[in-house]
């Protein structure tokens, strides 16, 4: 069965921010892991290009919406390549292929009797592209997310009969694995229990959107159109796109990874729309938390937006990936603090993992002819047992999307190996010839454990993982199935060790 993982389709009102980088890195790590364990993976990302927000942005810039979208969408695609993101599909909701799916899907929903004409009155946030509850009906009410005034709407719209799917959605959101993390699941359950209201799926005041068939002036509501991007992305761009084809290839998605603010769209509206079109819901919707900066919400007006481009050019990919995956529990909010970032990267990657490798290679080269030492007992039982336990914990955490646990288990293992090396003090023992066998065994064990650390890191820090493997001169094992590389004792006695260079430089904190 194909493993389909999606990021949200990002609005093209601006280039990627740290929040979008965060989601995309998580998806990339999961996609890499699944490929390594032999799954067929379709990793979908892309851009959400229609709607009033984008139209206004293009107007502000004095260019056409399509020109604006081409430019920003390209930036997204290029940035993901710079970050080494291994997406399989990049869908643009302004593409012809996508429009075809939207038309086909709408026809199905209409056929189910779930579309009717009505009047939509209410307060709208253009930033969220969403109607907001406003019990006081006060025109000064602001969107709590965007801190901008809501706009009053009173227009003829087409509606989707969400209320018809009350029972179906109630059952679905109560399924134990459908919404994660669990706290978010409870929020959605209580929202659904209050009773689902039909929602409008078209706009009449908007030209930048997909035209609704058989109407004069309606375009599809941006969310109705955008969610369908997950389906239109599945068929390859060159293929003749159809819903049937997407189902044949693998729909439903295995996991939609999104921010907590758009959970309702994904866990409530979307499954009802799919049901109406005779399709299965996604298997899981995972709502991650929000990133703040030094304790404050990131915002342009606050002047504290952390530019991901700057982070990438200054520190590189691995440090940022490690920090975001390790320091933020998936599902919880997290704070980006410069000092903490530098400390974590230096302690974990430069010292605990990097320095361990570096100094052990230096000792081995110096004492054993630039090579991995020969030992009597390659299979050191203590190491094999610890390794098996660690591997089980790491694989289990990868399988459960607990990436922060993965990083912590890898780090714990590396700390244990450092302790082992320090306790054995091979630099003292080597002074006495009779200890040579013992020293060889210690050095072999540490080198082999470092190789294993490199293999563990492959899904989350692909570049650093490769650096470790290069330093140990054992690239040839890359051809092996990933799990088989986790077997103790692969590092060959006598194999040459290249001259060590630090696999990661220590970061400097700049206040
Ligand atoms: N276009 C819609 C999604 C449509 S999916 C069919 C959208 N786009 S967005 O660009 O505004 O947001 C994309 C994602 O970024 C959302 O999942 C949102 O939660 C996330 N984030 C926005 N700010 C964030 C942080 N400060 N931290 C973490 N994620 C954040 O919504």
């Amino acid at each position: 069965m194909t493993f389909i993982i999606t990021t949200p389709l990002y609005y093209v009102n601006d280039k990627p921010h740290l929040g979008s980088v965060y989601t995309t890195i998580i998806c990339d790590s999961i996609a890499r892991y699944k490929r390594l364990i032999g799954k067929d993976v379709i990793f979908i990302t892309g851009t959400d290009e229609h709607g009033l927000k984008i139209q206004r942005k293009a107007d502000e810039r004095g260019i056409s919406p399509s020109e604006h979208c081409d430019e920003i969408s390209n930036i997204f695609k290029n940035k993901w390549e710079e970050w080494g993101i291994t997406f399989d599909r990049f869908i643009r909701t302004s593409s012809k292929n996508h429009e075809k799916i939207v038309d086909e899907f709408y026809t199905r929903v209409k056929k189910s009797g779930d579309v009717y004409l009505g009047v939509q009155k209410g307060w709208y946030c253009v930033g969220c592209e969403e109607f907001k509850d406003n019990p006081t009906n006060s025109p000064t009410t602001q969107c709590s997310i965007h801190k901008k005034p809501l706009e009053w709407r009173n227009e003829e719209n087409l509606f989707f009969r969400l209320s018809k799917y009350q029972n179906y959605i109630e059952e679905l959101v109560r399924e134990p694995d459908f919404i994660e993390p669990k706290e978010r699941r409870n929020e959605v359950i209580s929202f659904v229990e209050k009773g689902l209201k039909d929602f409008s799926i078209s706009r009449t005041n908007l030209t930048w959107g997909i035209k609704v068939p058989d109407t004069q002036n309606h375009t599809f509501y941006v969310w109705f159109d955008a969610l369908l991007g997950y389906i239109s992305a599945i068929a390859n761009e060159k293929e003749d796109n159809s819903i049937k084809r997407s189902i044949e290839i693998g729909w439903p998605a295995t996991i939609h990874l999104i921010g907590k603010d758009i959970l309702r769209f994904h866990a409530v509206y979307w499954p009802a729309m799919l049901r109406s079109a005779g399709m299965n819901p996604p298997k899981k919707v995972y709502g991650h938390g929000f990133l703040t900066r030094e304790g404050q919400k990131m915002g342009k007006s606050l002047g504290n937006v952390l530019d991901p481009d700057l982070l990438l050019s200054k520190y590189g990919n691995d440090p940022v990936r490690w920090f975001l995956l390790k320091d933020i529990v998936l599902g919880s909010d997290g704070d980006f603090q410069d000092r903490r970032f530098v400390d974590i990267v230096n302690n974990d990657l430069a010292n605990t993992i990097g320095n361990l490798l570096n100094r052990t290679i230096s000792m081995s080269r110096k004492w054993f002819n630039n090579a991995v030492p020969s030992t009597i007992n390659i299979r050191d039982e203590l190491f094999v047992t610890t390794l098996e336990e660690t591997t089980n914990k790491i694989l289990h955490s990868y399988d459960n999307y607990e990436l922060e646990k993965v990083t912590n288990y890898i780090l714990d293992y590396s700390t244990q190996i450092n302790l082992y090396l320090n306790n054995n003090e091979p630099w003292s023992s080597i002074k006495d010839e009779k200890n040579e066998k013992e020293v060889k065994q210690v050095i072999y064990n540490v080198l082999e454990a470092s190789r294993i650390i490199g293999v563990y890191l492959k899904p989350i820090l692909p570049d650093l993982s490769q650096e470790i493997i290069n330093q140990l001169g054992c690239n040839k094992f890359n051809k092996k199935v990933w799990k088989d590389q986790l077997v103790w004792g692969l590092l060959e006695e006598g194999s040459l060790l290249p001259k060590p260079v630090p696999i990661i430089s220590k970061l400097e904190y700049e206040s």
Side-chain angles (χ1 to χ4, degrees):
M1 212 175 11
T2 307
F3 180 88
I4 302 182
I5 183 165
T6 70
T7 70
L9 306 184
Y10 299 109
Y11 282 132
V12 286
N13 57 325
D14 216 338
K15 60 182 193 153
H17 54 68
L18 195 65
S20 19
V21 169
Y22 174 59
T23 323
T24 312
I25 284 176
I26 299 167
C27 287
D28 182 61
S29 302
I30 297 170
R32 284 174 187 266
Y33 168 69
K34 293 289 175 182
R35 289 187 199 111
L36 287 170
I37 59 165
K39 296 258 181 213
D40 277 331
V41 173
I42 303 181
F43 169 12
I44 296 172
T45 189
T47 43
D48 181 359
E49 305 189 3
H50 290 130
L52 191 55
K53 172 151 86 172
I54 307 304
Q55 186 172 307
R56 283 189 182 164
K57 190 76 199 183
D59 290 348
E60 258 172 46
R61 299 182 64 203
I63 56 176
S64 70
S66 70
E67 256 179 290
H68 168 81
C69 290
D70 285 351
E71 187 187 315
I72 307 288
S73 181
N74 252 327
I75 294 180
F76 267 90
K77 204 169 183 185
N78 292 338
K79 291 291 163 206
W80 295 154
E81 276 155 14
E82 279 173 31
W83 280 93
I85 302 298
T86 56
F87 59 84
D88 300 295
R89 305 280 193 277
F90 188 97
I91 181 72
R92 295 187 56 183
T93 59
S94 64
S95 65
K96 277 278 159 237
N97 245 350
H98 174 67
E99 194 175 324
K100 196 170 159 233
I101 291 286
V102 175
D103 282 357
E104 198 190 339
F105 189 88
Y106 175 68
T107 308
R108 286 184 175 211
V109 171
K110 212 170 149 194
K111 214 166 153 197
S112 300
D114 290 337
V115 178
Y116 64 91
L117 198 62
V119 172
Q120 172 77 61
K121 281 188 195 169
W123 293 99
Y124 194 72
C125 170
V126 179
C128 296
E129 293 280 15
E130 186 181 11
F131 280 96
K132 299 281 176 182
D133 291 334
N134 177 17
T136 57
N137 265 357
S138 149
T140 54
T141 300
Q142 287 195 338
C143 164
S144 59
I145 299 171
H146 292 91
K147 308 282 180 239
K148 291 214 175 113
L150 300 173
E151 297 181 19
W152 179 250
R153 292 278 184 279
N154 179 357
E155 62 177 40
E156 186 187 67
N157 284 173
L158 291 165
F159 280 73
F160 172 70
R161 244 181 256 286
L162 179 65
S163 52
K164 179 171 146 189
Y165 296 94
Q166 178 73 34
N167 292 343
Y168 170 68
I169 296 294
E170 269 194 41
E171 266 175 41
L172 181 69
V173 297
R174 284 206 184 97
E175 276 178 19
D177 293 331
F178 181 60
I179 299 174
E180 282 200 60
K182 300 288 169 252
E183 313 83 70
R184 300 261 143 75
R185 185 172 145 235
N186 296 337
E187 286 165 23
V188 177
I189 292 176
S190 63
F191 168 75
V192 174
E193 279 171 349
K194 282 186 203 130
L196 295 174
K197 294 192 198 102
D198 299 347
F199 69 95
S200 66
I201 56 165
S202 75
R203 298 288 181 264
T204 47
N205 64 347
L206 184 74
T207 49
W208 182 236
I210 298 175
K211 199 180 163 314
V212 181
D214 310 324
T215 62
Q216 284 298 314
N217 55 349
H218 287 254
T219 51
F220 282 109
Y221 169 42
V222 58
W223 269 101
F224 185 85
D225 148 10
L227 288 160
L228 286 162
Y230 296 137
I231 292 173
S232 38
I234 292 177
N236 192 300
E237 273 166 38
K238 291 173 209 101
E239 280 189 76
D240 182 29
N241 212 348
S242 68
I243 289 176
K244 184 167 162 274
R245 185 73 194 118
S246 295
I247 295 171
E248 276 164 13
I249 298 173
W251 182 264
T254 320
I255 175 169
H256 290 314
L257 190 91
I258 49 156
K260 59 182 179 180
D261 55 328
I262 55 174
L263 189 55
R264 263 184 217 175
F265 284 104
H266 284 79
V268 179
Y269 297 7
W270 179 222
M273 285 163 57
L274 286 161
R275 176 80 166 182
S276 167
M279 295 176 73
N280 285 326
K283 299 228 177 69
K284 187 187 289 300
V285 179
Y286 205 124
H288 67 68
F290 261 45
L291 296 181
T292 50
R293 169 126 165 90
E294 309 285 347
Q296 280 190 305
K297 187 180 182 310
M298 267 184 266
K300 282 192 185 141
S301 50
L302 288 165
N304 65 349
V305 175
L306 194 52
D307 182 356
D309 287 350
L310 217 68
L311 278 181
L312 184 62
S313 60
K314 205 160 140 193
Y315 301 119
N317 195 350
D318 291 321
V320 181
R321 282 178 84 111
W322 180 257
F323 179 82
L324 293 177
L325 298 176
K326 172 163 187 272
D327 208 43
I328 302 162
V329 177
L330 187 56
S332 306
D333 291 342
D335 195 32
F336 195 105
Q337 297 168 10
D338 293 356
R339 167 80 72 187
R340 192 170 164 77
F341 168 73
V342 168
D343 287 349
I344 286 185
V345 170
N346 285 348
N347 287 338
D348 301 353
L349 301 185
N351 292 343
T352 309
I353 297 177
N355 199 21
L356 173 75
L357 177 75
N358 216 270
R359 62 187 176 135
T360 315
I361 291 178
S362 298
M363 289 186 271
S364 195
R365 281 172 52 95
K366 187 165 163 205
W367 304 330
F368 310 117
N369 292 330
N370 297 330
V372 175
S374 52
T375 66
I376 310 167
N377 175 21
I378 281 192
R379 198 181 148 83
D380 189 319
E381 284 311 320
L382 185 67
F383 271 84
V384 174
T385 314
T386 320
L387 174 69
E388 274 168 12
E389 283 167 10
T390 308
T391 301
N392 287 341
K393 285 193 287 193
I394 289 178
L395 296 185
H396 184 261
S397 307
Y398 268 127
D399 285 332
N400 288 303
Y401 310 119
E402 294 170 321
L403 299 182
E404 85 290 344
K405 284 199 181 158
V406 169
T407 58
N408 281 308
Y409 288 136
I410 298 175
L411 195 66
D412 287 349
Y413 184 68
S414 313
T415 306
Q416 281 181 49
I417 306 299
N418 270 289
L419 270 176
Y420 166 84
L421 183 66
N422 292 344
N423 290 342
N424 279 286
E425 296 186 14
W427 46 89
S428 307
S429 319
I430 195 74
K431 289 176 191 153
D432 188 339
E433 237 172 68
K434 74 172 188 326
N435 295 328
E436 191 180 308
K437 275 185 198 151
E438 180 202 314
V439 172
K440 281 182 168 172
Q441 186 70 49
V442 170
I443 296 292
Y444 181 88
N445 286 349
V446 178
L447 290 175
E448 176 61 348
S450 297
R451 183 189 67 78
I452 300 272
I453 293 167
V455 180
Y456 283 150
L457 285 173
K458 197 158 191 171
I460 51 173
L461 303 187
D463 297 343
L464 194 81
S465 158
Q466 190 52 50
E467 285 293 323
I468 294 175
I469 304 298
N470 290 344
Q471 287 281 293
L472 289 165
C474 59
N475 249 308
K476 66 175 185 185
F477 304 131
N478 281 355
K479 289 193 206 94
K480 269 186 180 288
V481 171
W482 181 68
K483 276 190 185 170
D484 294 347
Q485 295 174 38
L486 292 168
V487 172
W488 186 263
L490 289 186
L491 200 59
E492 285 161 357
E493 304 177 5
S495 66
L496 284 181
L497 289 167
K499 198 166 184 273
V501 280
I503 52 166
I504 189 157
S505 325
K506 274 205 160 190
L507 308 182
E508 294 291 333
Y509 173 70
E510 291 165 23
S511 55

